[in-house]
Amino acid sequence: PQATAQASAAPGGDIERPTQFAEGLSYAEQIAACGPAGIAWFIARTGRPPQTVAEVRTAAAATQDWDPGSGMHGASATARVLRNAGVAAHVEDGVDWTKVRRDVATGNPVMFDTDAGSAGHYFTVQNARQRPDGQWEYDLGTSATDLRSSGGRRWFTAEEVPGLGFG
């Protein structure tokens, strides 16, 4: 997996990621909209003027960073769309869960892609908490609840995330 993280603290810590399924698209296009939904959340979290998922899709398609058949064209394309929107974003190889916890604790939005190809899903991390058994779990918000496999849950451990799939 690859992670995309913002570089400075964000003012909008309680903003919920928009669902990727609320725009009247075909099911395949809705599945491909997880990246734009995450980007729309990321933009709002960093205090920029909010954009709809449709506006992000249009902007990403215009730069050839998204298409309805395969979605976002990787974490670098996601970071490029964020930078074009005025958000200081960067890409990291893999997901360092300790760093994810540190970032969300300080208000930095975090988004990660579970696969470098079209079979992945973009998750946003809204919070982290340690369970009584010592394991950490992460609030993935609607980036998880949009998936049937989540069963409506939004909190998952790092080990559970790969089992969520992408649809």
Side-chain angles (χ1 to χ4, degrees):
Q2 294 186 326
T4 303
Q6 202 269 342
S8 61
D14 60 349
I15 295 171
E16 188 73 38
R17 172 191 169 270
T19 180
Q20 66 198 69
F21 293 105
E23 299 210 20
L25 303 171
S26 72
Y27 182 71
E29 290 172 319
Q30 290 173 355
I31 291 295
C34 60
I39 291 168
W41 170 79
F42 220 97
I43 290 168
R45 280 286 312 268
T46 56
R48 304 299 184 282
Q51 294 186 20
T52 66
V53 177
E55 289 169 330
V56 172
R57 277 196 334 265
T58 299
T63 57
Q64 299 182 357
D65 289 315
W66 180 86
D67 70 74
S70 61
M72 291 302 299
H73 298 169
S76 293
T78 302
R80 186 170 33 258
V81 172
L82 284 164
R83 287 191 298 270
N84 288 345
V87 177
H90 66 273
V91 174
E92 299 176 1
D93 289 329
V95 178
D96 178 342
W97 292 102
T98 301
K99 187 168 187 220
V100 168
R101 289 192 299 273
R102 186 172 46 245
D103 280 342
V104 298
T106 59
N108 291 333
V110 175
M111 182 168 49
F112 65 93
D113 180 7
T114 58
D115 185 280
S118 62
H121 182 69
Y122 284 86
F123 288 98
T124 56
V125 183
Q126 298 183 197
N127 206 345
R129 66 184 180 199
Q130 194 168 22
R131 299 189 319 202
D133 66 4
Q135 276 198 301
W136 283 91
E137 56 186 4
Y138 304 89
D139 178 3
L140 306 178
T142 61
S143 68
T145 61
D146 275 355
L147 302 177
R148 294 177 185 151
S149 59
S150 75
R153 287 177 45 212
R154 58 188 293 147
W155 289 88
F156 291 89
T157 65
E159 295 75 24
E160 292 173 316
V161 170
L164 291 171
F166 64 95

